[in-house]
């Protein structure tokens, strides 16, 4: 089978195309492109079918595991695919490790080191118990996320563009420093003991629930990451599609009830709006993929509760 590999502008990416067996898979084509270009390894490649003239919409993305013949028109022994370079890639675990490592290290720096003298605050700093518990809570959260990245999640994609490392690190590291600065500040005023206990108690319960949600998601896939996207069931997934995001948002709410800083609440609002968007997108995708009507009133109720946070 002759496969022509062109860019979106129609330029030939592999001069003369690629000759493959009729039984070849898309992964074989990716290997052949890499062998010829010496630059675009398979994870960097996005292969789609050309959009027919006069038609609009999203192009069909070729699945690495599928046979090339599935994408050929019946009887034709040739195929044209559109190639896009996704840029240098990093493993998902590397991306997550670096984005979580920042807040895990930055927050204790504000707690332990005399950083506030560089902001004009001289003299002895008296730490309130809530500031100490907040530091442990924060570090436990990010430590848990690193451990989940390596030992719990079963990612469907092996890699992500390297540019995402800079974007995600900027987000997590900046918010980490911003919240740490105010929570450990020498002029910090603690909330009442009861409020602190309610906040941390609720937050810890939500972190445990969040961990359990991740275990349920893990069990939807085989160890190699196969299994695609399925409707998660059991525990809080019976009432909300993305219970992992719900529990994540509520655990930050618990942290903020206990620590009560504007910086913390701003992070909560930003994180909640990001996760609500993702949750709505995932809910739509799962509903579309399933023939079963899966619209949950609890999802709406959840979003109303989230909206009240703003
Ligand atoms: N504070 C914040 O701003 C913030 C933002 C986002 C996330 N988080 C936290 O970080 C955690 C991880 O977030 P994430 O967005 O990277 O991943 P995620 O969507 O929570 O998913 C975690 C893992 O489960 C898999 N998965 C998700 N839905 C699935 C389904 N329907 N069927 C099969 N597998 C499924 C994912 O696979 P894929 O590899 O295919 O995605 C991924 O490996 C969240 O649960 C949350 O606790 C925090």
């Amino acid at each position: 089978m002759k496969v022509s590999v062109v860019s979106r502008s129609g330029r030939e990416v592999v001069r003369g195309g690629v000759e493959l067996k009729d039984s070849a898979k898309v992964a074989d084509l990716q290997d052949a492109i890499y062998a010829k270009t010496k630059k675009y390894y398979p994870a960097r490649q996005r292969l789609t079918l050309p959009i027919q003239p006069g038609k609009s919409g999203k192009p069909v993305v070729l699945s690495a595991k599928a046979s090339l013949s599935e994408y050929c028109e019946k009887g034709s022994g040739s195929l044209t695919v559109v190639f896009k370079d996704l840029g240098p890639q990093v493993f998902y675990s590397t991306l997550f490790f670096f984005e979580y490592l920042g807040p895990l290290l930055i927050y204790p720096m504000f707690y332990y080191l005399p950083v506030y003298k560089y902001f004009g605050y001289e003299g002895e700093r008296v730490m309130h118990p809530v500031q100490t518990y907040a530091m442990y809570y924060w570090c436990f959260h990010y430590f848990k996320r690193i451990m989940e990245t390596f030992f719990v999640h079963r990612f469907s994609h092996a890699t992500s563009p390297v540019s995402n490392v800079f974007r995600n690190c900027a987000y997590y590291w900046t918010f980490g420093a911003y919240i740490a600065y105010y929570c450990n500040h020498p002029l910090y005023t603690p909330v009442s003991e009861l409020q602190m206990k309610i906040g941390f108690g609720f937050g810890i319960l939500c972190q445990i629930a969040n961990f359990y949600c991740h275990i349920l998601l893990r069990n939807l896939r085989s160890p190699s990451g196969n299994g695609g996207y399925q409707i998660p069931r059991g525990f809080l997934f019976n009432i909300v599609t993305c219970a992992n995001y719900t529990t994540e948002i509520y655990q930050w709410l618990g942290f903020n009830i206990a620590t009560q800083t504007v910086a913390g609440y701003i992070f909560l609002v930003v994180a909640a709006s990001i996760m609500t968007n993702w949750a709505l997108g995932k809910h739509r995708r799962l509903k579309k993929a399933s023939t079963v009507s899966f619209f949950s009133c609890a999802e709406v109720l959840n979003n109303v509760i989230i909206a009240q946070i703003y």
Side-chain angles (χ1 to χ4, degrees), residues 96 100 145 153-157 171-172 210 214 217 220-221 228-232 244-245 248 252 267 271 274-275 278 282 286:
F96 282 2
Y100 300 153
R145 279 167 78 167
H153 295 323
R154 287 177 172 162
F155 300 109
S156 54
H157 304 286
Y171 170 75
Y172 278 104
N210 178 262
H214 288 154
L217 286 176
L220 295 175
R221 292 205 175 130
Y229 288 95
Q230 298 170 46
I231 297 173
N244 51 323
Y245 292 154
E248 172 78 15
W252 280 126
F267 179 57
I274 292 172
M275 283 185 271
W278 291 354
K282 286 181 186 208
L286 286 174

Side-chain angles (χ1 to χ4, degrees), residues 90-125:
V90 288
F91 286 115
Y92 256 95
S93 47
T94 311
L95 166 72
F96 282 2
F97 175 72
F98 281 106
E99 68 184 42
Y100 300 153
L101 185 67
L104 182 63
L105 297 179
I106 290 169
Y107 196 102
M109 282 183 193
F110 281 86
Y111 180 86
Y112 285 111
L113 303 179
V115 287
Y116 291 94
K117 72 176 185 197
Y118 302 105
F119 294 100
Y121 295 96
E122 296 292 343
E124 199 68 6
R125 190 164 45 127

